[in-house]
Amino acid sequence: MDGNQGVRVAVAGCAGRMGRMIITRVLETAGCRLAAGVDRPGSPALGTDLGVLAGQGPVGVAASADLDAALATADVLIDFTTAGAPARHAAAAAAHGTALVIGTTGLEAADQQAIDAAAARVAVVQAANMSVGVNLLLGVVERVARALDDGYDIEIVEMHHRHKVDAPSGTALALGRAAAAGRGRNLDEVAVRARDGHTGARRSGDIGFAVLRGGDVVGEHSVVFAGTGERITLGHIAGGRQIFAAGAVRAALWTADKPPGRYGMADVLGL
Ligand code: NAD
């Protein structure tokens, strides 16, 4: 860390939808400084000022494809790119002693192996959902599920925009895993992912999922604990993708004084 200017952050995938939001968030956040932005060779964004890319005023640092030069100026690299890229980014970051925040999803085995290897040399935070609220909800759901017995039926409801192709959402499944973990169960053994026709009565201990699709909904999740005479509902509503950028920058600042190792958002949030 540069004592005068805070944590120096480089953004991989700086021209992407998340990359641009992360640039904005870094510029808005006290205690960190935008050091570099990298994107793939051939990207039309190369050479463009990072501030301009993010719809802000110029900041005097341009998007580049030179990963080594970017890492030489940075304390931490935030990666929101595409599968395959994190493998190269993790190996290079480890060689430079630069911490890593990985938000890219759908990773290949080679990406995970490189990230594991990097974690032996630098701090690595990886999470498929970097929203502070969703990660808090995961912790709360596990605790509530632990406190309540099978007399409280657990149902998870999610809604996303009309373009989403997978169901239930990865976050809904993560909430299901948290609830199952609270009950000391494996989600695969208790999940009911769809109901149709004559299903019979609900089996005690099951965790049910219901999926809604439509419009431009960014992401809504509810976990219902339905008992006899009372019902507890815990939920999260995502208003925009900036919540993921906020979580990623929070994780980047958190890595500044952390020893090498693999961490998740629960560590960042102190859960
Ligand atoms: P996007 O396609 O808009 O942006 C990806 C960017 O990465 C592009 O600019 C692309 O040119 C760049 N890129 C690709 N290969 C590269 C390489 N080898 N080196 C450098 N740059 C490279 O995608 P997006 O919507 O910004 O999402 C990016 C990733 O983040 C996806 O995997 C998405 O699922 C994930 N995501 C994670 C979270 C989370 O909370 N963890 C939230 C939102 C999105």
Side-chain angles (χ1 to χ4, degrees):
M1 181 159 84
D2 176 331
N4 293 325
Q5 293 170 308
V7 177
R8 299 169 303 167
V9 180
V11 180
C14 64
R17 283 171 295 182
M18 283 307 306
R20 292 170 202 242
M21 285 198 168
I22 290 164
I23 291 170
T24 300
R25 184 71 186 185
V26 171
L27 294 175
E28 290 170 353
T29 304
C32 65
R33 182 165 67 83
L34 187 61
V38 289
D39 213 281
R40 61 179 169 77
S43 164
L46 299 182
T48 307
D49 186 279
L50 296 180
V52 174
L53 257 186
Q56 320 276 320
V59 294
V61 186
S64 157
D66 190 342
L67 182 63
D68 279 317
L71 289 168
T73 66
D75 300 305
V76 54
L77 177 72
I78 301 178
D79 180 307
F80 279 72
T81 57
T82 34
R88 182 167 159 258
H89 294 164
H96 281 270
T98 303
L100 272 170
V101 173
I102 307 273
T104 306
T105 60
L107 296 182
E108 296 166 2
D111 292 317
Q112 290 293 1
Q113 282 157 14
I115 293 166
D116 284 339
R121 298 179 66 180
V122 296
V124 180
V125 179
Q126 184 181 15
N129 187 320
M130 295 238 165
S131 140
V132 169
V134 161
N135 283 283
L136 276 173
L137 183 62
L138 287 168
V140 172
V141 163
E142 182 171 343
R143 286 176 61 184
V144 173
R146 184 172 299 128
L148 299 174
D149 62 21
D150 282 351
Y152 289 79
D153 299 322
I154 303 176
E155 295 281 308
I156 298 172
V157 185
E158 60 105 329
M159 179 160 190
H160 283 85
H161 52 85
R162 61 168 72 100
H163 303 294
K164 187 163 179 63
V165 293
D166 54 316
S169 70
T171 300
L173 292 169
L175 288 165
R177 277 192 294 277
R183 290 212 163 146
R185 303 226 172 86
N186 181 346
L187 180 64
D188 293 337
E189 287 159 16
V190 292
V192 177
R193 293 173 60 144
R195 295 186 180 106
D196 185 30
H198 187 82
T199 60
R202 191 184 197 285
R203 202 177 55 164
S204 177
D206 278 351
I207 296 179
F209 290 84
V211 174
L212 288 73
R213 291 286 174 265
D216 59 356
V217 175
V218 177
E220 299 191 7
H221 295 88
S222 299
V223 182
V224 181
F225 298 84
T228 303
E230 66 177 354
R231 196 161 74 234
I232 301 162
T233 303
L234 303 171
H236 180 268
I237 295 174
R241 292 162 66 96
Q242 68 273 21
I243 58 173
F244 308 123
V249 173
R250 184 163 170 170
L253 288 173
W254 181 88
T255 61
D257 58 357
K258 296 300 175 296
R262 246 185 179 293
Y263 304 96
M265 286 303 285
D267 301 304
V268 174
L269 300 175
L271 297 174

